[in-house]
Amino acid sequence: FGPVANPWELQHIPGGSSGGSAAAVAALGSDTGGSIRQPASFCGVAGLKPTYGRVSRYGLVAFASSLDQIGPLTNDVTDCALLLSIMAGHDPRDSTSAPVPVPDYVSGLGGSLKGLKVGLPDLPLPSDAGQFGDVQRSVAEAVEQLKRLGMTPVRVELPNISKAVATYYIIATAEASSNLARYDGVQYGFRAPASSLQPPASNSLLEMYLATRTQGFGAEAKRRILLGTYVLSHGYYDAYYLKGLKVRTLIKRDFDEAFKRCDVIAMPTSPSPAFRLGEKLDDPLQMYLSDIYTISANLAGVPALSLPCGFSRDGLPIGLQLLAAPFKEETLLRTAYAYEQATQWHQQAPKRS
């Protein structure tokens, strides 16, 4: 169907991989390393990645099973709370679903923020500074607004967050390599037509597998399958995959310690507003690094929410990301709602030609 356009600027991306949901609004997305929150930031909507296990993954096409979570993309925080209230809860059909009680998220939206603490970490700077100045300014103004609402700022340390991107692309690609092996053209899904098979082996099972996976997967899916197969291969499993799991544990411990000192952590969702369609296709590494601030939440399994907090000089939305301790979505939504009500950001949107 072609690329989805950003509703604020049609020559810019809506974010990935739930960009279609963000552009449409009022939809569900799946978040493995920021795929709900980054599109929410780019399209100026609210997007919530729940705690791992809070929402059933039954029916989700798995990318990286230990990272994936389903969450809402909505016009405002209230709708996020409504949808999460419906979606959350234990599901016996999903072994990763947590048997944890679900509070009434909507009734908790109006509470005061007085007495709550907002954690401010030292973050790694993006490799491509670009419009990061606009992002820093908007997030700093958002933190000032949270202080005016009664929150107390505290410094928190996340010393291993700089390793999050490398860790993510080891673990996620390894799991993707395993999960996507099932798409072989036999049980379900796409199968390459017989006319596309190459003689003389046109009737062989291997030829059908090769043609199906060659035609059925796009370039980025193939890249991730290759990376994942490599890090799981004999001789590299300990050097890459096992080491990645160990660093993931360190990242989770960092968040556990940080949430002993604060109730929510505030940081940018993305280091830049939406970039142009096709701008980073020739440099996949730069595209991966645009997830530098979202990935750690998936590695640690904590809930995170993105909501609009300002605009770039070009009039594109900028997202504020809030993170909370596991299963503390109620605190996350209450904080986001209070900020949203105080700023009424939609009324401040710049007029566009």
Side-chain angles (χ1 to χ4, degrees), residues 34 36-42 135 139 267-272 290-294 305-307 318-322:
I36 289 174
R37 290 159 289 152
Q38 188 221 43
S41 174
F42 285 1
V135 174
V139 172
M267 64 172 73
T269 305
S270 174
S272 73
S290 66
D291 296 333
I292 187 171
Y293 300 133
T294 54
L305 183 151
S306 177
L307 74 162
I318 292 171
L320 166 69
Q321 183 179 199
L322 300 172

Side-chain angles (χ1 to χ4, degrees), residues 278-284:
E279 183 178 324
K280 300 191 179 184
L281 283 179
D282 295 332
D283 191 350

